[in-house]
């Protein structure tokens, strides 16, 4: 009715293709994760039952784990290569919520391996992970404004718009799953500014709607960067340093760009 042009059919079809691929790969990887968690659970440090309060503790433990998994997926380039597909749309809508990574599923469950070691039941872990993921689906919208007091404790559409934005002040912020408290605690929180509308996408946008290319393009970029140097140290840095690091070019990491923006603002104020 308001002609907002939030969806574009080719982009949405690409998102659905990514979601379908993620679903099919996820069946195998969740099965492997359950088997792995079950093996680890045999050597659990504590005996934890299935009482209601266990779910409360597990909810916080799962969300804490998601925060660090998500944050590192933005700060370590080889992990970013797997995660970047979710950010590569220049739209933000419910279809983009389905634009899930294929390769991220190959490593993400290792971050949760400490939970069965503590004694949490593997099925409970996978169940709570699913609830967290479902909650995050509804954050991918431009149609919901700020939600008052909830903004202090929960991830909201406003917080997640910041996360998907490429504005320098918004880069690599708000990694929350369900609770925004982790970003507030660990210094990665950024409020959506009414004077700076989020611009969605990635710093070097792609134009393809081919799901295979969407899933693989950053791995190709890494490979091309690895070929630029004969230094083993530089090769390692291209894999494990933040996205934007270069051994012979302009520094384009989010931390560097943010510092430059702050210097520019400070200079203008003087």
């Amino acid at each position: 009715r308001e002609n907002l042009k939030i969806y574009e059919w080719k982009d949405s079809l690409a998102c659905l293709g990514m979601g379908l691929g993620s679903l099919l790969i996820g069946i195998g990887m969740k099965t492997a994760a359950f088997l792995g968690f079950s093996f680890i659970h045999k050597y659990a440090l504590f005996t934890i039952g299935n009482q209601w309060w266990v779910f409360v503790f597990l909810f916080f433990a799962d969300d804490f784990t998601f925060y660090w998994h998500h944050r590192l997926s933005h700060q370590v380039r080889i992990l970013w290569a797997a995660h970047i597909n979710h950010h590569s749309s220049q739209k933000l809508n419910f279809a983009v919520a389905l634009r899930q990574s294929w390769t991220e599923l190959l490593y993400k469950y290792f971050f949760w391996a400490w939970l069965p070691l503590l004694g949490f039941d593997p099925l409970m872990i996978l169940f709570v992970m699913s609830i967290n993921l479902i909650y995050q689906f509804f954050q991918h919208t431009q149609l919901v404004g700020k939600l008052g007091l909830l903004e202090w404790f929960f991830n909201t559409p406003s917080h997640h718009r910041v996360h998907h934005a490429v504005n320098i002040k918004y880069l690599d912020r708000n990694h929350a799953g369900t609770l925004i408290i982790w970003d507030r605690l660990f210094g990665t929180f950024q409020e959506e500014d009414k004077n700076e509308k989020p611009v969605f996408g990635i710093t070097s946008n792609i134009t393809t709607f081919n799901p295979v290319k969407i899933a693989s393009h950053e791995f190709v970029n890494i490979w091309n960067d690895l070929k630029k140097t004969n230094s083993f140290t530089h090769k390692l840095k291209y894999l494990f340093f933040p996205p934007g690091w270069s051994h012979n070019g302009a520094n384009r990491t989010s931390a560097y760009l943010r510092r430059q923006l702050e210097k520019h603002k400070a200079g203008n104020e003087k």
Side-chain angles (χ1 to χ4, degrees):
R1 184 174 67 245
E2 298 180 15
N3 197 31
L4 296 176
K5 295 183 172 60
I6 290 174
Y7 288 86
E8 198 277 318
W9 72 271
K10 287 184 179 180
D11 184 76
S12 294
L13 282 178
C15 293
L16 291 173
M18 294 297 297
L20 180 60
S22 177
L23 177 65
L24 294 175
I25 296 169
I27 293 172
M29 294 313 302
K30 279 190 177 181
T31 301
F34 173 71
L35 294 175
F37 288 174
S38 297
F39 176 79
I40 295 171
H41 191 254
K42 294 178 181 178
Y43 304 95
L45 301 176
F46 306 100
T47 301
I48 301 177
N50 295 328
Q51 299 89 337
W52 67 268
W53 56 265
V54 175
F55 276 95
V56 175
F57 278 102
L58 182 56
F59 166 77
F60 281 95
D62 165 71
D63 203 55
F64 175 78
T65 305
F66 178 86
Y67 168 82
W68 283 105
H69 155 255
H70 195 185
R71 180 173 174 175
L72 289 174
S73 293
H74 279 254
Q75 295 179 340
V76 178
R77 192 178 178 195
I78 191 65
L79 302 185
W80 173 241
H83 182 65
I84 192 174
N85 356 134
H86 182 62
H87 288 263
S88 58
S89 173
Q90 296 177 57
K91 303 288 185 180
L92 186 70
N93 50 50
F94 287 151
V96 171
L98 303 177
R99 195 182 183 102
Q100 294 295 316
S101 172
W102 297 352
T103 50
E104 193 176 68
L105 295 168
L106 303 178
Y107 73 84
K108 68 175 290 184
Y109 293 102
F110 288 103
F111 284 84
W112 276 260
W114 70 286
L115 296 178
L117 183 61
L118 278 184
F120 290 107
D121 181 85
L123 279 178
M124 287 176 63
I125 296 169
L126 293 174
F127 173 73
V128 173
M129 288 178 72
S130 298
I131 295 298
N132 197 334
L133 189 63
I134 291 170
Y135 177 85
Q136 291 176 54
F137 174 87
F138 294 100
Q139 311 316 309
H140 294 78
T141 177
Q142 300 178 55
L143 302 182
V144 176
K146 295 194 175 185
L147 299 176
L149 189 62
L150 293 179
E151 300 282 325
W152 282 92
F153 305 102
F154 291 95
N155 193 16
T156 64
S158 175
H159 295 329
H160 205 60
R161 285 193 289 271
V162 166
H163 180 70
H164 273 266
V166 292
N167 315 53
I168 292 176
K169 70 182 291 184
Y170 294 155
L171 285 175
D172 292 345
R173 289 296 184 254
N174 299 358
H175 303 293
T178 300
L179 301 173
I180 200 65
I181 58 174
W182 313 119
D183 287 287
R184 293 185 182 275
L185 283 172
F186 298 116
T188 53
F189 175 73
Q190 174 62 54
E191 186 174 4
E192 184 179 23
D193 187 343
K194 65 180 180 180
N195 296 317
E196 185 165 352
K197 184 178 179 180
V199 177
F200 304 116
I202 52 180
T203 54
S204 297
N205 284 310
I206 57 175
T207 57
T208 182
F209 298 109
N210 183 327
V212 175
K213 291 183 178 179
I214 293 171
S216 62
H217 78 273
E218 183 61 12
F219 290 106
V220 174
N221 291 339
I222 290 177
W223 177 249
N224 290 333
D225 284 339
L226 291 174
K227 292 189 293 184
K228 293 177 182 177
T229 176
N230 293 321
S231 168
F232 182 69
T233 300
H234 287 160
K235 290 180 186 294
L236 287 178
K237 288 181 178 180
Y238 274 122
L239 290 172
F240 299 109
F241 268 35
W245 180 87
S246 174
H247 81 287
N248 63 355
N251 191 326
R252 301 290 296 173
T253 66
S254 61
Y256 176 81
L257 293 174
R258 192 172 289 110
R259 287 195 300 268
Q260 293 302 107
L261 178 63
E262 291 171 356
K263 288 181 181 179
H264 179 72
K265 288 182 177 179
N268 287 340
E269 290 174 358
K270 290 180 181 179

